[in-house]
Amino acid sequence: MIALRVWLCARMALLSRLLRASEASERWWGRALALAPSHPRALASIGFLKAAAGDYAAALPWLERSAALSDAPASAWFNLGFARQQLGDHDGANQAFDRAIALDERFDRAWYGKAISMLAMARPADAIPLLERNTALQPMSPYGWYQLAHAYHRLGRADRVAATIRHLAGFEPAVARRLERETGVCAAAGEGGCG
């Protein structure tokens, strides 16, 4: 009987979320937790809803409880890392991202998240291999390429910045032009210049 009530609460929480009623969704997940205190989806969902509302401090204990479950998926660790990152705890974020990667080495967002923390800690050389892995997993997403160009720029590698911009120009020309403006590196040098 309890399992059915938990299932109904979860369905109502999901329906509320679909209807963009986040507070109602959180209440339904809370009811599910009252019935099943270690319900993994309820813990993760409450943490996610609080983080989505921008309250990372309130999200953190929920995400920590979610990640602490013995069978927590990589996404639970990623969400914990993201919340820690938003709170400025880059070492804690990297520990969570490492756990996500250990559980799923193809989790591109965890590679990206760890790279962002490395950049925030002024460690662009450490961010580069992480961003290279992210871009290998998500070759058509401009975010990793954009950050990779900036990491190279911080290290004074204009040649690598230019190569990255040229690559991006093939599928995200607006992002490539933005990088040229931000870095001052002209990717078309030797081919007529940037004008």
Side-chain angles (χ1 to χ4, degrees):
M1 186 64 170
I2 288 178
L4 177 59
R5 290 170 61 197
V6 170
W7 182 84
L8 287 171
C9 288
R11 292 296 158 241
M12 291 303 296
L14 293 171
L15 178 60
S16 297
R17 183 76 173 130
L18 285 173
L19 297 173
R20 301 181 193 270
S22 295
E23 290 178 12
S25 181
E26 189 174 329
R27 282 193 303 274
W28 282 110
W29 283 122
R31 289 178 186 169
L33 278 177
L35 296 166
S38 293
H39 191 280
R41 184 130 189 221
L43 292 169
S45 295
I46 290 173
F48 178 82
L49 289 166
K50 290 183 180 302
D55 194 349
Y56 297 103
L60 198 57
W62 296 100
L63 297 172
E64 287 171 341
R65 284 178 62 195
S66 172
L69 297 173
S70 62
D71 58 348
S75 59
W77 288 98
F78 171 79
N79 290 337
L80 176 59
F82 183 77
R84 286 178 174 170
Q85 187 177 69
Q86 297 306 302
L87 293 168
D89 177 10
H90 295 289
D91 287 327
N94 282 339
Q95 290 172 7
F97 293 139
D98 283 341
R99 184 70 178 126
I101 291 166
L103 289 169
D104 180 0
E105 68 179 22
R106 297 190 54 77
F107 200 148
D108 59 283
R109 291 179 297 151
W111 292 98
Y112 180 82
K114 185 168 179 162
I116 295 303
S117 281
M118 290 298 182
L119 291 171
M121 295 187 305
R123 295 172 55 186
D126 292 327
I128 288 172
L130 303 170
L131 290 165
E132 288 173 341
R133 179 68 173 141
N134 169 260
T135 56
L137 292 168
Q138 280 293 342
M140 298 305 287
S141 173
Y143 303 108
W145 295 106
Y146 175 85
Q147 294 297 341
L148 184 59
H150 275 289
Y152 284 132
H153 187 256
R154 289 182 188 182
L155 294 173
R157 296 286 314 273
D159 60 325
R160 298 303 306 149
V161 175
T164 304
I165 292 172
R166 280 192 300 275
H167 177 78
L168 260 172
F171 64 97
E172 287 287 348
V175 176
R177 287 189 299 275
R178 177 179 173 187
L179 277 168
E180 285 184 331
R181 287 190 306 274
E182 291 174 357
T183 64
V185 174
C186 180
E191 301 171 18
C194 291

